[in-house]
Amino acid sequence: MTASEITPEEHAELDKALYDALNPLASAIRSRETGLSADRMWDASPVEVALSVLAAWKVMDGEVKRLTERAAVTAGSYGASYEQLGAVWGITRQGARKKWPDAVSRPAPATAGKSTLALFGGTAELVQSPSGGWGWTGRGADGASDTATDGAPYATAEEAAAHAGAFLKEHALGIGDRS
């Protein structure tokens, strides 16, 4: 028996607890459908009663799925991997990722928020500020340097790269007119 398997005694207790939780819900569903009071649920036909019970199980199934996802997301937020979630659930790592796609947060790549641009014999480093804006620091092929990092003036990395690229082009060796 694995740690997540339950004993016959625990199984019997679980069945009783689930039925105890289900009966009021089934009675309420049956009452809404027929207009009869909840205490008269069992006066209906056996098919109607069985369908009320089935409807209540459907509601409970949805709630169990919601609570299961919440438990997986909580475990993931504390550092559990998809491999661990899958092992507990009895499925593969890939199955766990498919079942709870947002349970485990993926760390940002190490290069996120910073990259290097090499053009026209010079280089520029693009840097994302904590506020999310982008700036750059560059050194042209002619030795000139400039920066646009104060306040991270650009909204996107692409915009910062365009400005850095223009600076690098202006300070490339062999370009006649730099005005």
Side-chain angles (χ1 to χ4, degrees), residues 55-136:
W57 280 121
K58 181 178 184 336
V59 170
M60 287 183 73
D61 181 56
E63 285 302 299
V64 166
K65 286 177 182 169
R66 182 182 64 80
L67 293 172
T68 299
E69 181 174 0
R70 182 184 293 173
V73 168
T74 299
S77 74
Y78 286 119
S81 67
Y82 279 116
E83 185 175 352
Q84 292 170 308
L85 295 174
V88 166
W89 203 251
I91 58 178
T92 65
R93 172 184 54 80
Q94 294 89 345
R97 185 184 311 266
K98 185 176 180 182
K99 186 170 192 64
W100 306 297
D102 299 321
V104 175
S105 61
R106 293 173 185 87
T111 59
K114 188 180 227 182
S115 63
T116 302
L117 180 66
L119 292 171
F120 306 106
T123 60
E125 185 176 77
L126 307 175
V127 180
Q128 187 174 25
S129 74
S131 67
W134 287 84
W136 59 271

